[in-house]
Amino acid sequence: MTTNYDFNDRPDAARISLVAGSTGEAEVAELFLNFQWAYREMQRQYDQVLANSGLSESKFIILMFLAQAPQQQLAPSVIADKLGATRATVSKLLKGMVAQAWVARVASPTDKRSTLIQLTAAGQQTVTAFLPHNFAAVQTIMAPLSPAEIDQLNGLLQKINQGTHNLNLELERNQHAK
Amino acid sequence: MTTNYDFNDRPDAARISLVAGSTGEAEVAELFLNFQWAYREMQRQYDQVLANSGLSESKFIILMFLAQAPQQQLAPSVIADKLGATRATVSKLLKGMVAQAWVARVASPTDKRSTLIQLTAAGQQTVTAFLPHNFAAVQTIMAPLSPAEIDQLNGLLQKINQGTHNLNLELERNQHAK
DNA sequence: CTTTTGTAGTTAGCCGGCTAACTACAATGA
DNA sequence: TCATTGTAGTTAGCCGGCTAACTACAAAAG
């Protein structure tokens, strides 16, 4: 059964789009809100899957990086770069992961500033136990999409990336002009 | 000029999808990551637009709600419902907005538990001054999409909503089974 | 070889989410 | 009427982002 999963169960934020003026603006504003809504609901459920295993998304990804790394160890700065987060954020995450004993700190032999993060057996076990749940969740979320629709959506997301990039350029131009 | 805005400028998180097993799984995992990426980059830029006016998205939406409300006042609980956030979160946001003098607290005449939130002239001015920037940003983000693509994307997002909903059902079933 | 510049990591403090616990009051029911 | 149950709002405390400031060390430049 394919019921309608439209955006009607959502709070009142959609009303904002009614403020739009000329033709076409309303549709664009509505799409923007739908995009935010779809992501946020999806992420809420996905976070719940992670939380059921005591994980957060970032901590899971860090465990994955370590599991795939040579000697299963990486420097915090490398983790930050791969994750796309700041060192400060990673530092805080690692603090928690050390406390959970999923990882351990090892002094770097080559650089006295650096400490390597080493995956522990417990961490290894946690991540491998979680992997099936992760892929099941992702499959479930994307299951309603046919292969053709997957391609379509990838293409449309790239267009949003382009729009984001254009907005970024505008902002930087305004910054400079100031 | 329409350059390629693919997902190559992104950190290494995409490598995760290589762990997928059977055919089709990898494509789905990749789409999942692309979806997250597109949203997060978009949101980062949009938040920047808001921050340039000293606003956050939630505070802006609250100001919009108040501007449209009768007497330009609403109870915090009503704001929370419309916004789709908890009362605790709204309480914290309002605290900041009162400090900024965008809103003021007024005792409810009918319910001694409740305080109404009243939009001030300064708040009114802030939100009306920001509105054009908001719509310009949204238009820029979505500009690369044709009207037909907007329809397409709305449809695909609804399919993701359906997948999210299915995941939710699975989780609740597991909760009950336990 | 010393000075400057850059890099690695942590900490403090802010933001905006959340849950849980608590107070004050309203509304319902025995 | 009085007891119970429910609702409005705040606070405390946690999480995961961020920037800015700081220490320690490495690397490049003089």
Side-chain angles (χ1 to χ4, degrees), chain A residues 53-66:
Chain A
S53 298
L55 282 165
S56 71
E57 183 176 0
S58 292
K59 287 179 180 174
F60 166 58
I61 295 175
I62 290 174
L63 289 177
M64 289 292 291
F65 286 152
L66 290 171

Side-chain angles (χ1 to χ4, degrees), chain B residues 13 65 74 76 87 91 98 146 173:
Chain B
F65 286 152
L74 291 172
R87 289 157 197 230
S91 192
V98 168
S146 72
R173 224 178 326 108

Side-chain angles (χ1 to χ4, degrees), chain B residues 2 10 12 19 24-25 35 59 61 65 68-69 78 85 88 94-96 102 120 122 124-125 139 141 153 155 157 169:
Chain B
T2 306
R10 171 179 52 185
D12 234 8
V19 183
E25 276 190 10
F35 183 54
K59 287 179 180 173
I61 294 175
F65 286 152
Q68 296 176 311
V78 174
L94 290 175
K95 198 172 173 182
W102 289 337
T120 65
Q124 176 74 258
Q125 209 268 327
Q139 297 295 320
I141 291 167
L153 183 48
L157 292 175
L169 292 183

